[in-house]
Amino acid sequence: MSRYPVPAVFPDQPHQAELVIRRSRFLAHCARTTGHAEARAFVERIRAAHADATHNCWAYVAGPPEQTAEIGFSDDGEPHGTAGRPMLQILLHCGIGELCVVVTRWFGGVKLGTGGLVRAYQDSVRAVLAELPQEERVPRCRALVRVEFAHLDRLHRLLPDVEARLLEESYDAAASLTISLPRARWEEFTALLAGRTDGRATCDLLEDTPS
């Protein structure tokens, strides 16, 4: 899976949602994290920010949606199986990848029971996902295109057709354009470019770039 939704928020400014359930306060934080290390670092950031809390429970899916190669979870002192794993189940089926959720709880003096805790932590995750800003993860590449001036306008019109973005443009004997486009559309782009420039344009792949 090369393209999928991811959070459009990062660990330094995570998305938040708060619930109060039988006097306990549950504050959920969600951010995009790629890989185990980023997810664990985000957990520690939230834990440090809310060191006065009773629990900082967490779960993450740090890869594509529904894939379990990069997952993790913790009950952080809540009864076994009442927080981290139920949170993870919501994340695995939400259709979003590369995300970590930390639910911070301040105990309000009323015990919720195991079933109540499961519902509270899952509802906290649902709440933070309900209005989570999202964007599409699209693996991209950079390329250098050289084209004669007579074909420059054709190239400019082609770029939106393949979701390409112009990064830089310069001129000497011909026009040189550095562009970014989805990696999956590279072959399509080179074929269209050849057709629209009578095979006279050159295009060199520079590097793959993050989405």
Side-chain angles (χ1 to χ4, degrees), residues 194-208:
R196 298 193 188 185
T197 63
D198 303 321
R200 302 178 70 171
T202 63
C203 188
D204 297 310
L205 184 64
L206 300 177
E207 61 181 349
D208 290 341

Side-chain angles (χ1 to χ4, degrees), residues 47-154:
R47 192 195 307 277
H50 300 295
D52 63 323
T54 316
H55 306 280
N56 285 283
C57 304
W58 50 269
Y60 63 80
V61 177
E66 301 181 17
Q67 295 191 16
T68 58
E70 295 183 280
I71 64 172
F73 61 90
S74 171
D75 295 317
D76 193 39
E78 292 282 28
H80 179 69
T82 61
R85 186 175 289 277
M87 292 169 60
L88 178 64
Q89 291 305 309
I90 300 296
L91 297 186
L92 282 171
H93 295 96
C94 71
I96 307 170
E98 300 180 10
L99 78 169
C100 179
V101 175
V102 182
V103 177
T104 301
R105 181 192 182 192
W106 289 267
F107 179 56
V110 178
K111 293 185 177 181
L112 302 182
T114 56
L117 285 171
V118 169
R119 288 190 295 274
Y121 280 101
Q122 289 192 326
D123 286 348
S124 295
V125 175
R126 292 188 183 100
V128 81
L129 294 179
E131 298 184 5
L132 177 67
Q134 298 176 39
E135 60 189 6
E136 187 179 28
R137 177 192 182 274
V138 182
R140 303 183 71 86
C141 60
R142 291 173 63 245
L144 177 63
V145 183
R146 284 183 60 83
V147 63
E148 296 176 356
F149 292 111
H151 296 143
L152 183 58
D153 188 55
R154 296 180 190 178

